[in-house]
């Protein structure tokens, strides 16, 4: 027998009997569901493990003879658990979104809206800034040489870490509410847009640029008819990263506002008062929000690609 | 020397005379001028001489020399203005001379950068951004001092530098706690775990298809939000911060390594197969090297994420030192200069780690197209 010969395709799983099973196996749905199920199981097991000490203490008080079943029940139904169960978290989200008035201070929809509005403003500002920087860098050589290292260096400043200070300082000069958070979001989201757009605006090859110059196209014609459309496939992936970063920026920007409103404020109060269920549901909610934002950008991408008559 | 070469002399000298005669700002007793004593006059004369020399130098062979002369002239003019500002000269809107000098400095440095970026060579690649960065810091200093911006809003770079130097001991303790004890171990563990997981799921396309979408999904999520949970689980000391950093750095590393492991082309795979290479041999000799550029992307991204994670996690509970602790407490005491000194440390640490990784990348992936010297 010789050593097994290297063959990447050989790693594909064994054949399955039915066609449906094979399709499920080859597709992405089954793997994702499997991984999610494993994660959920780990979560439940983790709940038992982390809540066990306090539950055992409680059960010991009631009597010395308790069963494992009782322990499970106790860990999964604690009032103030160390780790809430998935059911507790989703019940909390359900109660605070569907069953509560939107105007209520405890409505998660209200808090999500506060976060989302500053995310959107910051994202818009960051996108415009990123595009302007990219256009300037593509057309002005001095800026290309001088600005690029600083654009990269700007992201080594841990802006998230100083976000609370920025909010406090801007609050001191009367800028409160959405704007300070939006500034943090835009600082984070301009970077991927600028980097992606520089690549995108440079993506037309010399042949295409030569063609336009044989048409004696002006600089603005070259920009709008060639460079800008050519940069679209680069713009949207950057926007997806940018919108996710903008959301992170908005949430961290809400931490120091004295727990007034927003998902960040929910995180902070949850952490201060040991309300783990509230904290986890705010986390899950922000994840959902992130997904919605990325999906919105994807939808916009599809529309733009369709409008350009493209197929990708 | 032709007559046209004398034009700068005819234009610059009268202009300079007018600017130096005009009040540039306000001092306690009344209007202040740019030149008050011999030192100022000396600097101004030197700047003027260099400016004229730079403008009148013949084009042939004088390009580098004239660029240097113009740049130095701009630097000296900036120095003069800075000196006068620190001696108590505040800008006024009618202080036309100060604005003219500022405009002149701006123009001179721009011309210098423009000429420098036309020159080839690696030195200009460093020099041009350096001049630009210096200009940014200079304007920051000029405007914060000149308009006496309240320190709470934005302290001047000189103030930050003074605080930085005075507080070195405290800053070092904070740095040690946050960077050396939290960020670096977290970074190593997170990236290591991401890398090992990528290798482990490499032979299972099923797991890859399950984990990768989730991995990119998690990258879109605000992971710093788990900081309070980690603080609750692992306590106030560095363990909880390292845990946050591990979670933050794990997924980018996993996703990028997996993508990188698939970067080798079919031709290269075929070559390996024709050599009858085993899985391990192909991994070490072909696929890991081709994955390196992707892995370095993740490592560079993670180096900044690690610092952010460690600092933000400290907002949720910490011992009485650490950069996050310093930032949040000094903000509440309105000692903004100390906050900025800490930010400077963070920015320095972030830039240096990024730079080191970039250097390592250049040394190990010199064969990759993105590292080759552009021949345009």
């Amino acid at each position: 027998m010789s050593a097994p010969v290297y063959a990447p395709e050989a790693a594909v799983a064994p054949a399955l009997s039915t066609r449906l099973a094979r399709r499920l196996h080859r597709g992405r749905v089954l793997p994702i569901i499997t991984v999610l199920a494993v994660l959920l199981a780990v979560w439940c097991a983790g709940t038992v493990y982390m809540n066990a000490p306090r539950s055992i203490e409680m059960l010991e008080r009631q009597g010395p003879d308790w069963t494992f079943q009782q322990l499970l029940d106790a860990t999964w139904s604690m009032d103030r658990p160390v780790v809430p169960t998935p059911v507790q978290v989703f019940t909390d989200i359900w109660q605070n979104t569907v069953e509560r008035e939107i105007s209520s201070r405890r409505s998660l929809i209200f808090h999500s809206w506060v976060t989302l509005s500053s995310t959107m403003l910051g994202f818009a500002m960051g996108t415009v800034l990123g595009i302007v920087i990219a256009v300037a860098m593509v057309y002005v050589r001095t800026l290309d040489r001088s600005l690029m290292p600083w654009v990269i260096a700007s992201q080594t400043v841990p802006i998230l870490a100083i976000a609370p200070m920025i909010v406090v300082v801007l609050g001191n000069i009367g800028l409160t509410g959405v704007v300070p958070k939006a500034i943090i979001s835009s600082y984070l989201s301009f970077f991927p847009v600028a980097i992606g757009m520089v690549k995108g605006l440079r993506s037309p090859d010399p042949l295409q640029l030569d063609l336009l110059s044989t048409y004696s196209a002006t600089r603005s014609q070259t920009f709008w008819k060639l460079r800008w459309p050519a940069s679209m496939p680069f713009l949207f992936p950057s926007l997806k990263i940018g919108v996710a970063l903008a959301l992170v920026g908005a949430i961290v920007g809400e931490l120091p506002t004295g727990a007034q409103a927003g998902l960040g404020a929910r995180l902070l109060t949850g952490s201060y008062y040991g309300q783990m269920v509230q904290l986890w549901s705010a986390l899950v909610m922000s994840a959902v929000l992130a997904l919605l934002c990325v999906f919105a950008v994807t939808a916009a991408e599809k529309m733009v690609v369709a409008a350009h008559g493209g197929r990708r | 020397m032709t007559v046209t070469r004398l034009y700068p002399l005819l234009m610059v000298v009268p202009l300079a005379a007018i600017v130096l005669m005009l009040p540039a700002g306000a001092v306690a007793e009344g209007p202040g001028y740019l030149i008050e004593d011999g030192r100022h006059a000396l600097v101004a004369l030197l700047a003027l001489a260099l400016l004229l020399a730079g403008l009148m130098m013949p084009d042939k062979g004088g390009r580098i020399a004239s660029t240097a002369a113009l740049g130095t002239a701009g630097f000296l003019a900036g120095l003069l203005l800075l000196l006068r500002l620190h001696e108590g000269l505040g800008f006024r809107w009618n202080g036309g001379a100060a604005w003219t000098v500022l405009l002149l400095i701006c123009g001179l440095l721009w011309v210098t950068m423009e000429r420098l970026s036309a020159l080839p060579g690696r030195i200009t690649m460093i020099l041009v951004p350096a001049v630009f960065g210096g200009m940014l810091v200079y304007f920051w200093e000029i405007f914060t001092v000149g308009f006496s911006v309240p320190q709470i809003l934005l302290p001047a770079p000189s103030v930050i530098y003074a605080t930085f130097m005075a507080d070195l001991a405290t800053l070092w303790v904070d740095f040690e706690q946050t960077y050396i004890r939290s960020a670096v171990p977290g970074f190593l563990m997170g990236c290591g775990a991401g890398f090992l997981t990528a290798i482990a799921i490499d032979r299972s396309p099923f797991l890859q298809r399950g984990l990768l979408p989730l991995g990119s999904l998690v990258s879109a999520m605000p992971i710093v939000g788990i900081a309070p949970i980690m603080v609750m689980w692992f306590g106030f000391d560095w363990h909880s911060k390292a845990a946050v950093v591990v979670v933050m750095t794990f997924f980018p590393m996993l996703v990028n390594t997996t993508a990188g492991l698939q970067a080798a082309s079919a031709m290269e795979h075929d070559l390996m197969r024709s050599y009858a290479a085993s899985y391990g041999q192909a991994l070490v000799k072909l696929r890991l090297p081709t994955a390196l550029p992707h892995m370095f992307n993740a490592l560079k991204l993670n180096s900044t994420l690690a610092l952010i994670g460690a600092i933000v996690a400290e907002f949720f509970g910490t011992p009485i030192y650490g950069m996050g602790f310093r930032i949040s407490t000094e903000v509440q005491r309105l000692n903004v200069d100390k906050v900025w000194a800490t930010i400077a440390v963070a920015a320095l640490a972030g830039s240096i780690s990024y730079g080191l990784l970039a250097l390592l990348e250049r040394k190990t992936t010199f064969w990759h197209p993105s590292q080759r010297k552009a021949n345009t």
Side-chain angles (χ1 to χ4, degrees), chain A residues 6 25-27 150 161 165 276, chain B residues 129 209 232 269 277 315 339 351:
Chain A
Y6 170 63
H25 196 86
R26 290 271 161 85
W150 292 105
M165 187 195 73
M276 282 299 125
Chain B
R209 266 174 290 147
M232 188 162 176
H269 279 301
F315 294 156
V339 179
S351 307

Side-chain angles (χ1 to χ4, degrees), chain B residues 4 17 37 41 146 266 268 270 302 308 351:
Chain B
T4 48
D37 61 30
E268 291 157 337
D270 283 350
N302 280 346
I308 289 176
S351 307

Side-chain angles (χ1 to χ4, degrees), chain A residues 115 118-119 122-123 159-164 166-167 178-189 241-256 264, chain B residues 220-224 308:
Chain A
T115 304
S118 60
T119 304
F123 176 56
I159 183 78
L160 276 185
I162 54 171
I166 294 171
V167 172
V178 170
V179 180
K181 291 186 277 173
I183 288 175
I184 293 158
S185 294
S186 62
Y187 187 94
L188 283 171
S189 59
I241 303 173
V243 78
L245 285 177
L247 182 66
V248 178
I251 289 177
V252 176
E254 278 159 0
L255 292 181
Chain B
M221 280 177 195
I223 306 185
V224 281
I308 289 176

Side-chain angles (χ1 to χ4, degrees), chain B residues 21-22 37 60 93 125 128 157 199 209 246 264 266 272 302 315 332 340 347 365 371:
Chain B
M21 292 300 124
L22 280 174
D37 61 30
K60 208 194 292 175
W93 285 107
M125 294 290 281
V128 176
I199 299 281
R209 266 174 290 147
V246 167
M272 282 290 140
N302 280 346
F315 294 156
Q332 270 150 27
W340 278 92
T365 65
Q371 296 295 332

